[in-house]
Amino acid sequence: MAVLVTGGAGYIGSVFVERLVASGEETVVLDDLSRGHRAAVHPDAVFYQGRTGDRELVARIAHQHALDACVHFAAFAYVGESVTEPGRYFDNNFGQAQALFETLLAAGVKRVVFSSTCATYGVPTRVPIPESHAQWPINPYGWSKLFVERLLESFDRAHGLRFVALRYFNAAGASARCGEHHAPETHLVPLALRAAAGRGPLLKVFGTDYDTPDGTAIRDYIHVADLGEAHLLALAHLRRGAESQLLNLGTGSGCSVREVIEAATRVSGRAVPFEQAPRREGDPPRLVADASRARSVLGWTPKQPSLDTIVRSAWEWMQAHPDGYQA
């Protein structure tokens, strides 16, 4: 039996594929390479280039590889872009997912691990955020992911499609082989490290007057390798015949923008040049996960929760891949 990984050429997907291959699983990657990188795909994984909503292609993959599960990462994930191009986001993130799940069901595949997001919560009314928190996204990206969660719940009731939806907080860091290479880059850790290395623009700190200890926004940063481990555990959960789940993934503690800058300075040995900028609309002061349910349901605990460890792994990958996957 094999596992289909959609978006397996992307940042988080490629790290998961690396771990899936290492566990001895037959691994099949489907990615259209619009945002991912062919070089990020593990050489021992079978690769298909195409869209997740290509019913003919997915049906052929399911037949040729005897799939028993799918781990679905493929999505667009730029919040600002989702605001200016909402139709594109709903088509790619929701419409393609619907076609994928229907094709998998027709092929007899009834296990899905879904890459969701804390963006489904919108602006939180309490922190840490539990899974029971109301979901009211503030951008089309968050809505597109929430719609997929609702689709999975409906397919579970109607068709017995079991799923685990994993709501990430802030993925960061790298494995030795796979790291972040986005164009454009919007994530704080690689932006801070690029600024320190003199390979990027001055870092912008959006908002310094939040109601937080140092005035900058606080986020829950989680090592991408720990996310990969959570997906393996979610897959094992479904293979045991357990019930569908909606779970947060985070460390349960937050770090401010200034703390990330300080960590980047310590790790790189170089100052991070930055400038203050106005708050971005819709940015909450704090986003921190209550991930206790993932611990109790999956037995998952982050093994690398230290901010310095996360930042160091990203720095080492950047030093080894100064031009990302284009080297």
Side-chain angles (χ1 to χ4, degrees):
M1 305 298 283
V3 179
L4 174 64
V5 183
T6 68
Y11 170 43
I12 303 172
S14 63
V15 173
F16 171 70
V17 166
E18 189 178 24
R19 296 182 69 82
L20 192 63
V21 168
S23 72
E25 295 272 4
E26 181 183 349
T27 305
V28 182
V29 171
L30 174 61
D31 198 300
D32 67 5
L33 300 182
S34 63
R35 303 287 167 97
H37 305 276
R38 180 65 181 87
V41 180
H42 195 285
D44 292 339
V46 179
F47 177 74
Y48 290 86
Q49 184 172 351
R51 300 195 77 191
T52 55
D54 185 334
R55 295 174 187 264
E56 182 180 345
L57 175 57
V58 172
R60 186 166 78 249
I61 292 171
H63 174 73
Q64 292 180 351
H65 297 279
L67 301 179
D68 84 312
C70 174
V71 183
H72 180 44
F73 291 96
F76 293 155
Y78 290 124
V79 169
E81 184 181 62
S82 79
V83 174
T84 58
E85 300 184 61
R88 190 179 182 203
Y89 269 65
F90 285 112
D91 170 64
N92 187 73
N93 294 3
F94 177 74
Q96 295 287 305
Q98 179 177 346
L100 171 68
F101 301 153
E102 289 175 346
T103 307
L104 291 173
L105 280 169
V109 181
K110 293 189 173 185
R111 301 185 185 101
V112 171
V113 179
F114 173 54
S115 166
S116 193
T117 171
C118 65
T120 63
Y121 294 117
V123 179
T125 58
R126 55 180 169 140
V127 178
I129 306 169
E131 288 87 354
S132 59
H133 191 286
Q135 291 176 287
W136 194 260
I138 59 173
N139 52 66
Y141 165 66
W143 281 110
S144 70
K145 288 286 193 172
L146 179 56
F147 285 179
V148 177
E149 287 190 7
R150 296 295 176 262
L151 180 68
L152 285 167
E153 290 175 320
S154 299
F155 276 25
D156 187 349
R157 289 190 294 270
H159 308 299
L161 177 65
R162 296 291 184 263
F163 70 92
V164 177
L166 299 171
R167 296 171 182 160
Y168 309 161
F169 279 63
N170 286 59
S175 69
R177 187 180 178 279
C178 301
E180 288 195 75
H181 180 177
H182 300 122
E185 184 58 73
T186 61
H187 293 166
L188 176 60
V189 170
L191 287 174
L193 292 174
R194 286 184 187 181
R199 299 182 63 87
L202 202 67
L203 180 69
K204 289 185 181 294
V205 177
F206 295 102
T208 57
D209 59 349
Y210 285 104
D211 183 18
T212 61
D214 65 21
T216 63
I218 289 173
R219 298 293 182 263
D220 189 338
Y221 295 92
I222 178 169
H223 200 294
V224 67
D226 285 329
L227 289 180
E229 179 66 20
H231 287 74
L232 286 177
L233 293 170
L235 187 59
H237 171 88
L238 293 174
R239 284 173 167 167
R240 290 194 296 269
E243 295 298 307
S244 297
Q245 296 286 338
L246 297 144
L247 303 172
N248 288 337
L249 294 182
T251 63
S253 62
C255 299
S256 72
V257 174
R258 290 190 188 277
E259 287 174 324
V260 171
I261 292 172
E262 291 165 2
T265 298
R266 285 192 299 271
V267 166
S268 68
R270 308 176 190 184
V272 177
F274 68 90
E275 63 180 353
Q276 297 181 6
R279 294 187 189 189
R280 293 179 297 194
E281 184 178 356
D283 268 356
R286 290 180 175 85
L287 285 176
V288 178
D290 177 350
S292 57
R293 193 163 160 187
R295 288 195 292 273
S296 62
V297 172
L298 301 180
W300 174 80
T301 301
K303 295 183 174 65
Q304 301 178 75
S306 161
L307 180 61
D308 276 24
T309 300
I310 293 169
V311 173
R312 183 173 295 107
S313 68
W315 176 251
E316 290 173 351
W317 189 85
M318 186 182 295
Q319 295 301 100
H321 304 82
D323 297 311
Y325 291 108
Q326 294 173 351

